[in-house]
Amino acid sequence: MKNFIIVFNNGWMKVTRALQFVSNLLLFGIMLLIPLDVIGRYFFNRPVTGALELTELATGTLVFLSLAITHYYNEHVSVDFIVDKMPKRARNVLLTIIEFVIFILLIVMMTQLFSNALQYIDRGTTSGDLSIPVYPFIMLAAISVLVFALVALGKSAKHLIKAVEKS
Amino acid sequence: STEDEASGSGNSDNVNIDYASFKPSTHQHEIELFPEYFNEIEEQTEGRLTITTYLGESLAAADDTYDATANGAVDMGVSLQSYSADQFPLTSVLDLPYVTDSGEKASEILWTLFEEFPEFQDEYDETVPLILYGTEPYQIATADQPIQSLEDIEGMRIRSPSPEVSNWLEYLGATPVNMPVTELYEALERGTVDGSILPMHTLTDWSLEGVVDYVTVGNFFSAQLFMVMNREVYESLSEEDREVIDSLSGLEMSKKAGALFDGTSEEAMAEFEEEIDFYELDEEESEEWRSAIEPAVDDWIDRMTENGFPAQEIYDRALEIDNELD
Amino acid sequence: MSSITIGIIGIVVLLLMFAFRVPVSISLFIVGTVGYSLIRDVDSGLVQLATTPYSTASSYSLSVIPLFILMGMILSYSNLGKDLYNAVDSWLGRIRGGLAMTTIGTSAIFSSISGSINATTATMAKVAIPEMRKYNYDLGMASASVAAGGTLGPLIPPSVIMIVYGVLTMEPIGQLLIAGIIPGIIQMVIFMLIIYIWARIRPSSAPVGEKKKFGEKISSISKVWPFFLLFVMTIGGLYFGLFTPTEAGAVGAFGSFVLALITRRLSWESLKKALSETTRLTAMIFLILMGADIFSQFLSISRIPSEITTFVGNVDLSPLTILILMLIVYFILGLFLEGIAILVLTMPIVYPLLEQLGFDGVWFGVIMILVINIGLMTPPLGISIYVISGIVKDIPIQRIFKAVMPMVLAVVLCIIILIIFPEIVTILPDLMRG
Ligand code: NA
Ligand code: NA
């Protein structure tokens, strides 16, 4: 069981890395796109059509894609002062519960995002000027939240093992 | 909400409706017209329906309001159709230039089209529209440079509220810029945009009189707004209560909402007569602008027809209703 | 249960979750969603759980955050930030606390013009804190100067929150914007004084730099041209209306990328690190902002903000007492809610009352922005501190909160000064009124 969790967490790490890689590309992309738009606008009177909505779509997507790895590195801010003073086992029990609650919340959120995406497919909703379909971006957000959820589940399992193990 | 005991709305004869609006409390419609309308509903249903108002995007962002109402995050909501991307392709007929020149008429056109065309009703089928209304005509407001001719507008960065409007602004030679209205004051002050296409009531509503120096009056188009109710909530009401809502909503209420824009607009133009230079395009100039814009109308009709909509009929009918009202 | 009761329970649960190490963002999500579901119904709570985060994440005005952070990361990884602080140290290093004071000033300019406190705080934290650490500054003082400097933004024009206040109250926006200038400068001076006193009391927290020869001083300046160029490009471009804050962020990030490339200071590895750190920090900040939006929808539907302000407005006390009670209410709301949300929820109730009590609307706008700002630096929801702790990972958050306390007191001091001498606020707008 313990080995399975370790393998799972390591494998999962690769998935979260891959998502972050795409996220980085998007960030780099808008860093290039926006100056291009500004230059086009001022020097050639030819702005990039849809620069604004591309920026919105890219920002939204890059945020979701990076949520999981941020959680993996424990970078979603939390306040430690009480937990720090708890005995190790109690702390692991608490963290098992917290991570599991996070997992549940995210699964619910993922389901909601998916049903939103389905709704958008139904309606054929597209973005303003470029008429890009919106649903793939919501889907991607949903998938990112799922990955985030599984990172939390993995952590929960890890803490559970620590809590159960003899310390 | 109709399902929850906690909100005191447990049974169908005692329902609280959560109404979400992006408008601030200072907005004309939220000061008088809508509160009166809600009071009337409450009175005529003998208190079985109560409406709680949440303003200023506190429950739903302007561009989320339609979805939030359709999905039931709120029970009722007001916003602009143009915020919901392409949810309302046929409604955007009023985004086309020179369809009509008053809010009241725009509202009558909207509601009539809604009643006459099933394709138009389809756009709203996830909700129950109570009011469909249009603003007074949009004019072009600029900060530093007046626009009196097509040469003047060439290359100017003009904020546009929707893709359709952006399209014909380009035919006029302007560079349309997308931007939320909340950022407009700053953008005009700093010169990020040279101007904005605006209905005149926003001069007061968003305090833009401080940064706008010139207005070119051409009565270009009317933006569209909706007040819709969540379908499930509506259907859960008793027949009697639904009848009350129906009788108070619809064409007459829509016209009132549009007319309120017309009134506020006139007041704003009178109030700022001194500070702002209003330039009215004369007959001849209007003709010139009209022919420059013309292709945008064909674009719209072609695109909508391609998607299987009776676009030509809808456009023609809109003009016809406007003519009847003149 | 009444919606107010649910609201109060929600706040208590939120604090408990914070205390027991549930991530801040997740706590906001959970309490916001469950609370909204209890007051309305489960379906609507669940709808908010999906639509609000997506709409927050894809809002154009927030896209300024990752771009400015990326600029800060590139500046930091390419050592351009180091050159900047080296120059500041050679000129101001002899003044105790000089680096921290400079940081406050730079943050103030950055924040006031970019319009984003979060973007400023993150960028400056990345550029300034590691540098101050190299000069053996106390991390608490370094964090405090970054956090405090950032909060000056809304006071100094341009300022979105001032515009929103003007729209909600019909006070003239031009006068409001002008009114913030002198208080902003006074507040900045008080912040710097705090650093000065802090450095006097605890000299170890801000060591005096070595004396530099004039030649060294000049050569240090000659190395900061890339930074200077970037500053002129982004801040100048913004100020003169060439582009929006988001565009300024992208131009700044792109500019620093190009400069780092041509000065051969950016390896492939560091670029990857800069991008990865930016996206992770952005994810952290946005998850809190999303949670804060959901929580704020819950609080508005609980009607606590409007009930509490109505209550205070109706007590039968002297105008000054009511004013102070009102400011305390705003302080408490500021602990949990974002500034614009507070204005929207309370102004329709509070503003008519203030007029009735005879207070100047422009003056109150400035005071209120100061009060709301305090919340950025205080627990439980002090987003500036969370942003800093996302960068300075090796000290616990509670230590940063503690270190920033003097700055919070500085804001309170400034508010007291402005209540005693309202002319400080009204003199410029009065000149405008003629
Ligand atoms: Na500012
Ligand atoms: Na706070």
Side-chain angles (χ1 to χ4, degrees):
Chain A
M1 186 62 194
K2 188 180 172 184
N3 284 338
F4 171 75
I5 289 167
I6 292 171
V7 171
F8 173 84
N9 279 344
N10 288 343
W12 211 239
M13 177 68 199
K14 293 201 180 99
V15 178
T16 62
R17 281 235 171 92
L19 293 190
Q20 191 189 27
F21 180 73
V22 180
S23 174
N24 290 353
L25 282 184
L26 284 172
L27 177 63
F28 197 71
I30 51 174
M31 184 196 89
L32 298 177
L33 172 83
I34 296 173
L36 203 68
D37 176 45
V38 172
I39 292 168
R41 186 167 75 210
Y42 284 104
F43 296 102
F44 306 100
N45 214 355
R46 298 245 359 210
V48 178
T49 313
L52 179 127
E53 64 192 74
L54 286 176
T55 306
E56 288 181 344
L57 287 171
T59 312
T61 310
L62 81 85
V63 166
F64 276 96
L65 286 172
S66 291
L67 289 174
I69 195 149
T70 309
H71 192 56
Y72 191 93
Y73 284 127
N74 282 326
E75 288 175 339
H76 286 298
V77 171
S78 51
V79 184
D80 288 328
F81 67 105
I82 293 183
V83 180
D84 277 351
K85 297 184 182 83
M86 290 164 86
K88 230 182 192 164
R89 180 167 303 223
R91 198 186 327 168
N92 276 316
V93 171
L94 181 68
L95 289 174
T96 308
I97 297 170
I98 291 174
E99 293 295 343
F100 194 74
V101 169
I102 296 178
F103 167 72
I104 300 289
L105 170 82
L106 294 174
I107 290 295
V108 175
M109 188 170 160
M110 187 238 0
T111 328
Q112 286 300 312
L113 281 166
F114 259 117
S115 77
N116 270 15
L118 293 180
Q119 220 173 22
Y120 282 140
I121 295 179
D122 226 33
R123 283 193 210 149
T125 306
T126 60
S127 69
D129 283 331
L130 296 174
S131 297
I132 306 171
V134 174
Y135 77 87
F137 296 92
I138 314 261
M139 285 280 192
L140 205 53
I143 292 168
S144 308
V145 171
L146 176 66
V147 175
F148 183 2
L150 291 170
V151 169
L153 185 65
K155 283 187 166 196
S156 180
K158 202 179 80 190
H159 288 296
L160 180 64
I161 285 179
K162 281 193 192 157
V164 178
E165 264 178 358
K166 256 179 44 158
S167 42
Chain B
S1 154
T2 52
E3 289 162 55
D4 191 54
E5 290 286 336
S7 60
S9 51
N11 47 47
S12 62
D13 53 9
N14 205 351
V15 178
N16 175 58
I17 305 262
D18 287 324
Y19 159 69
S21 167
F22 69 101
K23 300 176 183 187
S25 52
T26 44
H27 198 286
Q28 288 305 322
H29 288 77
E30 303 295 354
I31 294 176
E32 248 182 60
L33 189 66
F34 291 165
E36 275 171 15
Y37 167 67
F38 298 154
N39 276 338
E40 198 59 37
I41 292 178
E42 293 182 4
E43 267 172 37
Q44 292 198 19
T45 58
E46 288 155 345
R48 287 186 302 274
L49 283 188
T50 49
I51 296 166
T52 315
T53 299
Y54 297 90
L55 298 177
E57 303 194 294
S58 58
L59 290 195
D63 53 0
D64 263 346
T65 306
Y66 185 78
D67 281 355
T69 315
N71 295 333
V74 300
D75 302 317
M76 201 159 105
V78 126
S79 190
L80 281 92
Q81 279 89 332
S82 64
Y83 281 132
S84 298
D86 59 354
Q87 169 76 28
F88 304 102
L90 294 176
T91 302
S92 73
V93 67
L94 278 176
D95 276 353
L96 297 175
Y98 306 122
V99 173
T100 186
D101 59 2
S102 89
E104 191 173 1
K105 283 192 269 180
S107 308
E108 180 148 3
I109 293 173
L110 270 177
W111 193 268
T112 313
L113 292 177
F114 174 74
E115 287 198 320
E116 290 178 359
F117 289 88
E119 295 86 353
F120 210 96
Q121 285 161 24
D122 287 347
E123 300 189 354
Y124 298 88
D125 66 354
E126 290 165 296
T127 60
V128 178
L130 305 180
I131 310 176
L132 297 175
Y133 60 117
T135 64
E136 79 276 25
Y138 273 54
Q139 322 294 1
I140 302 179
T142 49
D144 303 317
Q145 296 288 324
I147 298 176
Q148 303 191 339
S149 66
L150 286 174
E151 289 83 68
D152 291 340
I153 199 174
E154 181 71 41
M156 271 195 172
R157 280 162 301 148
I158 306 289
R159 178 200 168 249
S160 151
S162 75
E164 220 48 71
V165 174
S166 301
N167 189 32
W168 55 259
L169 277 173
E170 277 179 33
Y171 279 114
L172 288 176
T175 305
V177 178
N178 247 309
M179 171 181 296
V181 68
T182 41
E183 284 171 23
L184 186 56
Y185 186 98
E186 247 189 288
L188 282 170
E189 189 175 46
R190 292 202 221 172
T192 317
V193 293
D194 301 309
S196 173
I197 185 146
L198 281 181
M200 291 297 99
H201 75 268
T202 46
L203 292 177
T204 334
D205 279 355
W206 293 99
S207 306
L208 294 173
E209 81 278 3
V211 281
V212 166
D213 282 344
Y214 304 94
V215 169
T216 306
V217 180
N219 297 339
F220 296 100
F221 81 104
S222 289
Q224 316 91 53
L225 294 97
F226 59 78
M227 184 188 286
V228 295
M229 190 184 267
N230 176 277
R231 185 164 276 284
E232 277 173 45
V233 170
Y234 179 83
E235 279 166 4
S236 72
L237 302 176
S238 69
E239 204 180 314
E240 195 189 351
D241 291 349
R242 271 183 301 192
E243 266 165 26
V244 169
I245 292 180
D246 293 348
S247 71
L248 292 170
S249 313
L251 180 63
E252 284 316 307
M253 187 59 203
S254 299
K255 279 165 71 180
K256 268 192 213 163
L260 181 58
F261 274 131
D262 294 332
T264 330
S265 169
E266 270 169 36
E267 277 169 33
M269 286 169 86
E271 187 182 346
F272 303 124
E273 214 176 19
E274 303 281 299
E275 291 114 303
I276 298 176
D277 189 359
F278 291 93
Y279 180 81
E280 265 182 67
L281 295 177
D282 62 28
E283 199 92 344
E284 200 181 315
E285 288 164 329
S286 283
E287 223 24 73
E288 202 186 323
W289 287 55
R290 206 179 272 264
S291 50
I293 287 179
E294 202 67 39
V297 176
D298 300 333
D299 286 354
W300 185 85
I301 293 174
D302 289 349
R303 196 155 18 91
M304 294 299 153
T305 312
E306 248 172 60
N307 291 333
F309 294 122
Q312 187 73 51
E313 280 104 307
I314 286 182
Y315 179 71
D316 292 345
R317 182 68 183 123
L319 293 185
E320 192 181 55
I321 302 166
D322 177 68
N323 263 330
E324 284 164 13
L325 295 172
D326 275 336
Chain C
M1 242 189 311
S2 79
S3 59
I4 302 256
T5 320
I6 298 176
I8 293 168
I9 294 174
I11 291 174
V12 174
V13 172
L14 184 78
L15 295 177
L16 282 173
M17 290 177 95
F18 282 176
F20 284 95
R21 212 198 157 277
V22 182
V24 170
S25 45
I26 301 287
S27 315
L28 292 163
F29 267 94
I30 293 175
V31 175
T33 305
V34 173
Y36 201 88
S37 300
L38 286 175
I39 294 178
R40 278 180 52 81
D41 56 74
V42 176
D43 284 347
S44 39
L46 292 181
V47 169
Q48 296 292 60
L49 180 60
T51 46
T52 305
Y54 192 81
S55 118
T56 306
S58 56
S59 110
Y60 183 74
S61 53
L62 290 182
S63 59
V64 62
I65 293 176
L67 291 162
F68 267 115
I69 296 178
L70 180 60
M71 175 172 99
M73 291 289 172
I74 296 177
L75 286 176
S76 166
Y77 274 107
S78 59
N79 285 330
L80 288 167
K82 186 182 125 201
D83 289 347
L84 176 72
Y85 272 79
N86 186 20
V88 175
D89 175 63
S90 22
W91 289 83
L92 300 173
R94 299 295 294 164
I95 302 168
R96 217 173 254 291
L99 293 188
M101 291 185 221
T102 313
T103 303
I104 290 175
T106 316
S107 292
I109 297 174
F110 214 122
S111 158
S112 68
I113 295 174
S114 76
S116 171
I117 297 177
N118 294 329
T120 304
T121 308
T123 313
M124 287 302 294
K126 185 65 197 174
V127 176
I129 295 178
E131 295 311 321
M132 284 193 266
R133 166 181 275 184
K134 278 184 208 146
Y135 291 93
N136 293 320
Y137 268 60
D138 170 55
L139 275 186
M141 180 189 277
S143 305
S145 57
V146 170
T151 64
L152 290 165
L155 284 175
I156 304 167
S159 164
V160 174
I161 191 165
M162 284 281 198
I163 293 172
V164 171
Y165 179 85
V167 166
L168 288 172
T169 62
M170 299 291 205
E171 289 287 344
I173 292 175
Q175 289 183 23
L176 278 166
L177 291 172
I178 296 289
I181 296 177
I182 300 180
I185 294 171
I186 291 181
Q187 181 70 83
M188 182 168 76
V189 172
I190 299 178
F191 283 152
M192 290 177 171
L193 271 177
I194 297 271
I195 294 289
Y196 185 79
I197 296 166
W198 185 342
R200 288 272 139 172
I201 298 175
R202 281 228 202 101
S204 64
S205 54
V208 177
E210 286 162 33
K211 198 169 160 63
K212 297 275 164 64
K213 293 205 191 78
F214 191 68
E216 278 177 279
K217 286 188 182 180
I218 294 297
S219 83
S220 75
I221 283 283
S222 68
K223 275 198 201 151
V224 297
W225 67 266
F227 194 87
F228 187 73
L229 193 68
L230 276 175
F231 194 82
V232 170
M233 242 163 48
T234 54
I235 297 299
L238 255 174
Y239 191 80
F240 291 107
L242 296 181
F243 30 67
T244 66
T246 299
E247 288 167 350
V251 168
F254 180 70
S256 47
F257 172 67
V258 171
L259 283 171
L261 273 189
I262 56 177
T263 53
R264 297 174 169 280
R265 287 150 162 259
L266 193 66
S267 66
W268 186 238
E269 239 357 86
S270 345
L271 175 66
K272 275 203 298 205
K273 267 195 204 152
L275 285 167
S276 296
E277 269 189 55
T278 305
T279 49
R280 294 209 309 270
L281 186 60
T282 303
M284 183 276 272
I285 296 173
F286 271 66
L287 198 64
I288 295 182
L289 295 177
M290 295 171 190
D293 276 348
I294 290 188
F295 184 75
S296 146
Q297 286 163 348
F298 157 58
L299 269 197
S300 27
I301 206 164
S302 80
R303 307 224 128 229
I304 288 182
S306 43
E307 294 293 330
I308 192 176
T309 38
T310 308
F311 174 78
V312 170
N314 289 333
V315 294
D316 192 19
L317 293 166
S318 74
L320 185 66
T321 323
I322 294 182
L323 175 79
I324 290 169
L325 283 178
M326 204 57 100
L327 292 181
I328 292 173
V329 169
Y330 275 111
F331 165 73
I332 295 170
L333 292 176
L335 299 180
F336 295 97
L337 288 172
E338 180 270 335
I340 290 180
I342 298 177
L343 292 187
V344 167
L345 292 174
T346 63
M347 265 304 116
I349 303 159
V350 172
Y351 182 74
L353 180 89
L354 280 165
E355 271 193 315
Q356 206 184 313
L357 294 175
F359 292 107
D360 182 289
V362 171
W363 169 81
F364 187 71
V366 173
I367 298 274
M368 199 161 59
I369 285 171
L370 282 167
V371 175
I372 292 173
N373 266 350
I374 293 179
L376 297 165
M377 301 188 281
T378 55
L381 193 57
I383 186 135
S384 290
I385 307 307
Y386 293 144
V387 169
I388 290 174
S389 86
I391 287 168
V392 195
K393 295 189 186 107
D394 47 356
I395 58 173
I397 288 186
Q398 52 270 32
R399 247 197 74 199
I400 310 182
F401 274 124
K402 214 169 125 194
V404 177
M405 274 329 265
M407 297 310 195
V408 172
L409 294 178
V411 183
V412 176
L413 177 67
C414 187
I415 293 168
I416 294 173
I417 294 177
L418 298 184
I419 291 177
I420 300 176
F421 306 105
E423 299 79 15
I424 298 174
V425 183
T426 53
I427 182 161
L428 290 182
D430 279 346
L431 282 176
M432 253 179 117
R433 285 173 200 157

